């Protein structure tokens, strides 16, 4: 992985953490997800007129990715219904790169150097340490929540691989990204309108500024990630993208005045070491 690609993915991770920190729609996570997806789709429309249609080789990857994103959204919402955020998040985010690596080997024979694999494992370990920082390191979660969290990670791995190979098959990863966000926005707007049909327009009027900013940062964040997956091993990009948790931790310390305890220091060291290994492996 070149230095330019590495820095780009780290910036994408920062954008991912930022829109999660900035965009808040009360306690309704699904409504916030719908708003972000709708606005990112709206933002993609003007650029689509400039970049045009996706290449025929990328269309089936786009269709697969949209389906995988639907599954991801459903299982994530179910996971948070049955489990606690502090348990669901590290399981779903931490296990996704591992599942991505396994599926990549089994389905596409995509191998990464041993040092890169060790770096990925260090990054994942650091993510888990941050999620449990300040708490007892125990897995107190019921069976349903665990099953939904693992299913979420599985769909995350699926759309990551689909988008990675879609970007590689496409003549232009930017065009692929724009169409992906447009289609996702259209698909998620349907259940959003059905569920919130009485307050949907009012919600847009109330949260359009946050939705617009969140949609822009989401578009930039995942757009960079898709481009990076056309330039470097998908598994390493997926793992380094999880450093968004590291940036989210720094944002919470800076703005929410959370404590920077010993476990968080250790987690930072582990993640940085993993990034260095990933960089040196290619």
């Amino acid at each position: 992985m070149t230095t330019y690609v590495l820095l780009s993915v780290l910036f994408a991770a920062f954008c991912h953490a930022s829109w999660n920190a900035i965009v808040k729609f009360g306690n309704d996570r699904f409504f916030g997800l719908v708003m972000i997806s709708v606005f990112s789709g709206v933002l993609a429309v003007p650029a689509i007129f400039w970049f045009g249609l996706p290449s025929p080789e990328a269309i089936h990857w786009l269709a697969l990715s949209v389906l995988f994103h639907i599954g991801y959204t459903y299982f994530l919402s179910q996971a948070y219904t049955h489990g606690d955020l502090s348990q669901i998040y590290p399981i779903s985010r931490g296990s996704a790169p591992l599942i991505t690596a396994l599926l990549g080997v089994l389905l596409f024979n995509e191998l990464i150097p041993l040092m890169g694999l060790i770096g990925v494992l260090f990054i994942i370990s650091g993510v888990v340490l941050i999620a449990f920082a300040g708490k007892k390191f125990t897995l107190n979660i019921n069976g349903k929540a665990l099953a939904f969290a693992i299913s979420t990670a599985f769909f995350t791995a699926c759309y990551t691989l689909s988008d990675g190979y879609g970007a590689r098959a496409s003549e232009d990863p930017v065009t692929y990204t724009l169409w992906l966000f447009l289609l996702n926005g259209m698909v998620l707007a349907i259940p959003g309108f059905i569920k919130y049909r009485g307050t949907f327009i009012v919600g847009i009027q109330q949260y359009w500024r946050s939705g617009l900013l969140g949609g822009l940062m989401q578009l930039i964040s995942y757009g960079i990630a898709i481009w990076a997956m056309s330039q470097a091993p998908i598994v390493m990009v997926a793992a380094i993208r999880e450093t968004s948790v590291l940036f989210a931790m720094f944002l919470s310390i800076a703005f929410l005045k959370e404590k920077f305890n010993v476990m968080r220091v250790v987690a930072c060291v582990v993640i940085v070491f993993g990034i260095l290994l990933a960089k040196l492996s290619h």
Side-chain angles (χ1 to χ4, degrees):
M1 178 178 289
T2 65
T3 301
Y4 180 69
V5 173
L6 174 63
L7 293 177
S8 298
V9 177
L10 289 174
F11 177 69
F14 171 75
C15 290
H16 185 272
S18 297
W19 71 254
N20 275 278
I22 293 173
V23 181
K24 295 182 183 294
F25 302 104
N27 295 319
D28 196 330
R29 296 179 184 275
F30 184 72
F31 183 75
L33 178 62
V34 170
M35 287 295 98
I36 294 169
S37 299
V38 168
F39 276 102
S40 62
V42 170
L43 287 169
V45 172
I48 282 175
F49 283 103
W50 177 266
F51 285 93
L53 296 171
S55 63
E57 294 80 8
I59 292 178
H60 67 283
W61 292 112
L62 276 171
L64 277 175
S65 183
V66 171
L67 291 175
F68 290 143
H69 274 88
I70 294 172
Y72 163 81
T73 303
Y74 170 75
F75 283 105
L76 181 62
S77 63
Q78 289 298 311
Y80 283 132
T81 299
H82 293 89
D84 185 71
L85 174 65
S86 63
Q87 297 289 345
I88 297 299
Y89 190 83
I91 294 171
S92 60
R93 302 307 302 181
S95 58
L98 289 177
I99 298 175
T100 302
L102 290 173
L103 291 177
V105 171
L106 293 174
L107 299 178
F108 304 104
N109 197 30
E110 176 156 337
L111 302 174
I112 61 175
L114 178 60
M115 188 179 295
L117 179 60
I118 295 173
V120 168
L121 294 175
F122 268 93
I123 293 171
I124 294 169
S125 300
V127 169
V128 173
L129 284 175
I130 287 179
F132 283 97
K135 301 178 181 180
K136 293 182 179 180
F137 201 88
T138 57
L139 186 63
N140 182 23
I141 185 172
N142 65 55
K144 277 189 176 181
L146 179 61
F148 282 124
I150 296 297
S151 298
T152 301
F154 173 77
F155 277 96
T156 300
C158 287
Y159 76 65
T160 298
L161 287 169
S162 179
D163 290 334
Y165 283 96
R168 293 178 183 182
S170 176
E171 296 177 358
D172 184 358
V174 175
T175 303
Y176 178 92
T177 301
L178 292 170
W179 277 95
L180 174 64
F181 275 93
L182 175 60
L183 293 173
N184 275 336
M186 293 171 60
V187 169
L188 283 178
I190 296 172
F193 183 78
I194 293 173
K195 183 175 181 179
Y196 305 101
R197 55 184 175 275
T199 59
F200 192 74
I201 302 300
V202 175
I204 292 178
Q205 293 174 341
Q206 184 176 358
Y207 296 112
W208 71 268
R209 291 180 181 84
S210 296
L212 185 63
L213 181 58
L216 177 62
M217 300 196 79
Q218 186 187 60
L219 186 61
I220 293 172
S221 173
Y222 199 49
I224 292 175
I226 291 176
W227 165 79
M229 288 187 289
S230 70
Q231 307 294 316
I234 294 174
V235 175
M236 282 202 284
V237 174
I240 293 174
R241 187 168 173 262
E242 298 306 332
T243 58
S244 61
V245 180
L246 180 64
F247 291 113
M249 181 193 70
F250 286 129
L251 289 172
S252 66
I253 291 170
F255 296 103
L256 302 178
K257 308 303 179 184
E258 293 187 6
K259 294 182 179 180
F260 195 64
N261 56 32
V262 175
M263 186 174 286
R264 282 178 165 170
V265 174
V266 174
C268 290
V269 173
V270 170
I271 289 175
V272 171
F273 185 66
I275 293 172
L276 289 175
L277 288 177
K279 171 65 179 72
L280 294 173
S281 67
H282 190 70

